[in-house]
Amino acid sequence: GAVVSQHPSRVICKSGTSVKIECRSLDFQATTMFWYRQFPKQSLMLMATSNEGSKATYEQGVEKDKFLINHASLTLSTLTVTSAHPEDSSFYICSARGRETEAFFGQGTRLTVV
Amino acid sequence: GQNIDQPTEMTATEGAIVQINCTYQTSGFNGLFWYQQHAGEAPTFLSYNVLDGLEEKGRFSSFLSRSKGYSYLLLKELQMKDSASYLCAPMDSNYQLIWGAGTKLIIKP
């Protein structure tokens, strides 16, 4: 199957700093990328959907100024958590979809804000 | 509204067969996915059904009935490594995956 690479897999940052997470589709062009967060023992929560070259569409309740999403190319999307706080600690997962219906997931990023 | 209903947790014995049921309600329908998720890891794709019927892939099979809003994942010859959460995710008219909390499957020796 197609490969989506997400980096970093784990990051620990200090409260108030910003963290950037990258999501790359390695062997296909991702016209749409999705960003999720997942708290322990809970379902994936869609944060935003981004299409290449256009602004991301954020789900209700997700602060777009706090979670900056850039989808500048067909193979790369980034999520930047700005001014991170301990409550932002979570598991962030990207997925990418090309022409086919199936979306492929990155490995996820475990963010811990201390 | 959109809704997914799966059992929260199931227990089965190594070597046995288990069926994980899923009922769903979505705004439109563009197929249904099953994913496996081990603790602390991202989901991995298991199956995709868009037409009614059974799709078999090795030890795993997935069934869909669109008229009933129902799907199941069948796991045969269970192995300890199959202990994970199984997520049923239908795709709505906007091609968005709708996620439930998943079913935690515990395999006992």
Side-chain angles (χ1 to χ4, degrees):
Chain A
V3 179
V4 175
S5 176
Q6 186 174 340
H7 177 79
S9 58
R10 293 178 184 273
V11 58
I12 300 173
C13 70
K14 291 185 178 181
S15 186
T17 61
S18 295
V19 174
K20 179 183 283 188
I21 303 169
E22 290 188 351
C23 182
R24 293 180 184 271
S25 57
L26 298 184
D27 54 1
F28 69 102
Q29 293 183 326
T31 54
T32 307
M33 285 192 172
F34 306 89
W35 287 95
Y36 297 89
R37 69 186 296 183
Q38 186 178 34
F39 292 105
K41 300 183 180 180
Q42 294 188 25
S43 64
L44 284 81
M45 185 193 80
L46 180 65
M47 299 175 66
T49 303
S50 72
N51 294 299
E52 186 265 338
S54 61
K55 290 184 178 180
T57 302
Y58 289 81
E59 296 299 304
Q60 193 172 9
V62 178
E63 299 175 61
K64 61 181 180 181
D65 294 331
K66 181 170 184 61
F67 298 99
L68 301 178
I69 292 172
N70 184 282
H71 191 168
S73 77
L74 284 171
T75 59
L76 174 65
S77 177
T78 60
L79 167 67
T80 301
V81 183
T82 63
S83 187
H85 290 285
E87 58 265 31
D88 298 324
S89 298
S90 187
F91 191 48
Y92 292 87
I93 310 171
C94 73
S95 73
R97 188 167 71 208
R99 294 181 179 180
E100 302 298 323
T101 306
E102 182 182 347
F104 299 92
F105 285 86
Q107 302 93 323
T109 298
R110 175 75 57 193
L111 171 64
T112 303
V113 184
V114 297
Chain B
Q2 311 207 94
N3 185 58
I4 312 298
D5 192 22
Q6 294 178 243
T8 304
E9 187 174 295
M10 298 180 71
T11 302
T13 305
E14 190 177 15
I17 298 173
V18 70
Q19 178 174 311
I20 303 175
N21 295 321
C22 170
T23 57
Y24 62 89
Q25 289 179 310
T26 55
S27 301
F29 183 75
N30 279 298
L32 184 143
F33 292 81
W34 282 94
Y35 285 89
Q36 179 191 63
Q37 186 178 25
H38 285 99
E41 298 181 11
T44 55
F45 170 79
L46 290 178
S47 68
Y48 173 61
N49 294 64
V50 66
L51 299 176
D52 290 350
L54 186 68
E55 295 273 348
E56 297 186 71
K57 189 186 293 185
R59 293 190 299 116
F60 293 2
S61 302
S62 55
F63 171 84
L64 176 67
S65 170
R66 289 172 297 173
S67 62
K68 296 182 179 178
Y70 168 70
S71 175
Y72 68 72
L73 180 69
L74 189 72
L75 294 79
K76 303 176 183 177
E77 302 170 16
L78 287 170
Q79 301 175 8
M80 297 303 293
K81 67 178 182 179
D82 297 330
S83 291
S85 287
Y86 291 86
L87 309 173
C88 162
M91 182 174 279
D92 69 11
S93 57
N94 293 319
Y95 293 92
Q96 297 275 30
L97 288 172
I98 310 302
W99 298 94
T103 298
K104 182 178 180 181
L105 178 63
I106 300 168
I107 309 297
K108 295 186 175 180

